[in-house]
Amino acid sequence: MTSNHSCKANATTISLVRGDITRQEVDAIVNAANSGLMGGGGVDGAIHRAGGPDILKECKEIVAVQGKCPAGQAVITGGGKLSAKYVIHAVGPIWRGGSSNEEEKLASAYRECLKLAVQYEAKTVAFPSISTGAYGFPTDKASQIAISEAREFCAGNNNLEEIRFVLFDERTYDFFKSALDQ
Ligand code: ADP
C-alpha cells in the first residue's frame, strides 16, 4: 500500500492511500452503501465480508426502525470483526447525468459521515470513493467534491486527526491527488 499524499487542513490531516478500506486501522471506515443497507457488490460487499454478519444485522435493525436511508444520508454501526470500531454507511447518489442534484447529494453524504464521526468521537476516519463505482458518478467531479467537503468540514471543526481517502485503483487515486493538489 502506498501513502504518499497528504495535506493539513486546520487541525486535520487529509491523506490519500491506495489500498483496501477493510484493512485500515482507523476508528471509523465509511461504506458506500445502497439505500436498503442490505450489502451488495464493490466496497459494500468487501466490508460486510470482512466485518462479519453483525454489521448487516445492525443495518437491518436500523432500516426496520427508520426505513431506507436516502441518498445523501448516512447511518452508523459497529465495526464487527474489522479493526475499525465503527462503519459509517453512506448512501451516495446514482449518477443520472447530473441534473438530479447528484453533486449536492454526494457532498451531503460526505458531510453526514464527518458529522457522525465527530458525534461518535472517532479521531480517524477512512473513506472510499463514494458513488464512482457501480453508481457511475464521474470520478473527476466526485474527487473534487470529496476533497472540498473534507476541507470545508475541517475549517469549522478541529476534532478529527485524520481523514483518509482509500482509493482502490490508480486511476481513482490520481483523480483524488489532482483534487488535493488544487
Ligand atoms: P458505488 O455503488 O457507491 O459506486 P462501489 O463499491 O461500486 O460503490 O465503488 C466505489 C469505489 O470503491 C470504487 O472506486 C471501487 O473501485 C472502490 N472499492 C471497491 N472495493 C474497495 C475496497 N475494498 N476498498 C476501497 N475501495 C474499494
Side-chain angles (χ1 to χ4, degrees):
M1 193 196 299
T2 55
S3 167
N4 25 29
H5 288 94
S6 65
C7 78
K8 201 85 179 161
N10 200 6
T12 309
T13 301
I14 300 176
S15 61
L16 310 182
V17 303
R18 261 196 76 190
D20 179 345
I21 200 159
T22 65
R23 311 291 288 269
Q24 305 301 306
E25 298 196 354
V26 288
D27 297 329
I29 66 168
V30 172
N31 180 16
N34 51 58
S35 58
L37 305 178
M38 286 299 141
V43 69
D44 197 0
I47 288 172
H48 283 288
R49 272 195 303 279
D54 287 356
I55 300 175
L56 191 59
K57 186 166 168 272
E58 257 190 272
C59 284
K60 285 182 176 166
E61 285 163 6
I62 291 168
V63 173
V65 172
Q66 66 183 51
K68 287 187 175 185
C69 184
Q73 297 295 314
V75 301
I76 191 165
T77 66
K81 293 190 294 180
L82 296 166
S83 145
K85 188 170 179 195
Y86 300 110
V87 178
I88 301 174
H89 304 264
V91 182
I94 297 171
W95 181 257
R96 300 184 195 282
S99 53
S100 303
N101 221 14
E102 293 97 323
E103 298 194 15
E104 173 45 33
K105 285 178 186 159
L106 185 63
S108 166
Y110 279 104
R111 279 197 298 275
E112 293 303 315
C113 291
L114 292 166
K115 282 194 232 165
L116 276 171
V118 168
Q119 195 183 325
Y120 281 77
E121 297 181 350
K123 295 287 175 202
T124 50
V125 54
F127 282 91
S129 175
I130 300 168
S131 281
T132 65
Y135 278 9
F137 203 116
T139 311
D140 56 342
K141 283 190 178 58
S143 59
Q144 286 171 16
I145 290 168
I147 296 293
S148 97
E149 287 306 319
R151 283 199 169 114
E152 207 162 300
F153 188 84
C154 295
N157 189 303
N158 57 15
N159 288 294
L160 296 174
E161 284 166 16
E162 184 184 0
I163 299 173
R164 186 183 303 172
F165 290 96
V166 182
L167 296 326
F168 209 46
D169 58 274
E170 193 170 356
R171 182 180 163 275
T172 306
Y173 185 94
D174 288 344
F175 277 117
F176 274 74
K177 180 179 176 301
S178 301
L180 194 69
D181 287 343
Q182 267 173 29

